[in-house]
């Protein structure tokens, strides 16, 4: 995922114009596992969740620590909140046509299924006008 310049917080409610409501859930997947500086996981997620960018908010205005994810092209956004007490369960809110946290969770699980490959284990195959990015071998496409 890209790390954009500082941007305003995503909305806390969905716009009536986008036809979606805010979905609230929880996750056991740590936001630091997907956006905490681990290049290998971040690289894979960036490939599997195109257009997404993230920023951290440690201001305490919303939660002890918040991961904000957004896709400006679709207006989709997600937040994952650490409450400062437990690192086993995190509050998730997401809205827009893409469920970004769900996509990130799927991408992270797939990265683990591939054996947590490092950046140097990825390749690209281009044939007949089709491009496929893979992890480990062409038999393991990223998307």
């Amino acid at each position: 995922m890209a790390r954009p310049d500082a941007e305003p917080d995503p909305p806390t409610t969905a716009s009536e114009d986008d036809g979606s409501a805010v979905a609230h859930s929880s996750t056991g997947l740590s936001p630091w596992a997907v956006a905490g500086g681990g290049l290998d996981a971040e690289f894979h997620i960036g490939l599997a969740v195109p257009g997404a960018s993230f920023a951290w908010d440690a201001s305490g205005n919303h939660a002890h620590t918040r991961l904000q994810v957004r896709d400006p092209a679709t207006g989709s956004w997600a937040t994952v909140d650490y409450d400062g007490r437990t690192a086993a369960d995190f509050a998730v809110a997401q809205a827009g046509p893409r469920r970004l946290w769900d996509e990130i969770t799927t991408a992270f699980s797939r990265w683990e299924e591939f054996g947590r490959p490092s950046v140097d284990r990825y390749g690209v195959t281009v044939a007949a006008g089709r491009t496929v990015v893979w992890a480990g071998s062409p038999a393991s496409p990223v998307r």
Side-chain angles (χ1 to χ4, degrees):
M1 291 184 292
R3 293 181 184 172
D5 294 330
E7 296 182 27
D9 294 335
T12 55
T13 59
S15 164
E16 293 178 12
D17 296 335
D18 72 8
S20 66
V22 177
H24 295 275
S25 61
S26 63
T27 184
L29 178 58
S30 166
W32 290 280
V34 301
L39 176 62
D40 298 331
E42 287 182 22
F43 182 78
H44 182 86
I45 292 166
L47 291 172
V49 187
S53 60
F54 73 91
W56 288 97
D57 177 357
S59 68
N61 292 336
H62 309 284
H64 183 279
T65 305
R66 170 176 276 187
L67 173 64
Q68 302 174 143
V69 183
R70 67 178 68 234
D71 173 9
T74 65
S76 300
W77 59 267
T79 59
V80 183
D81 292 342
Y82 167 60
D83 63 10
R85 294 185 299 266
T86 178
D89 192 49
F90 305 89
V92 176
Q94 53 188 337
R98 295 178 69 185
R99 293 298 190 227
L100 291 172
W101 187 252
D102 295 347
E103 289 183 36
I104 290 167
T105 299
T106 299
F108 186 82
S109 294
R110 187 102 164 121
W111 176 68
E112 288 185 315
E113 289 170 15
F114 288 152
R116 296 177 163 237
S118 58
V119 172
D120 63 348
R121 299 282 300 143
Y122 288 80
V124 177
T125 302
V126 179
R130 185 172 169 230
T131 303
V132 177
V133 178
W134 44 266
S137 79
S140 301
V142 171
R143 290 196 252 164

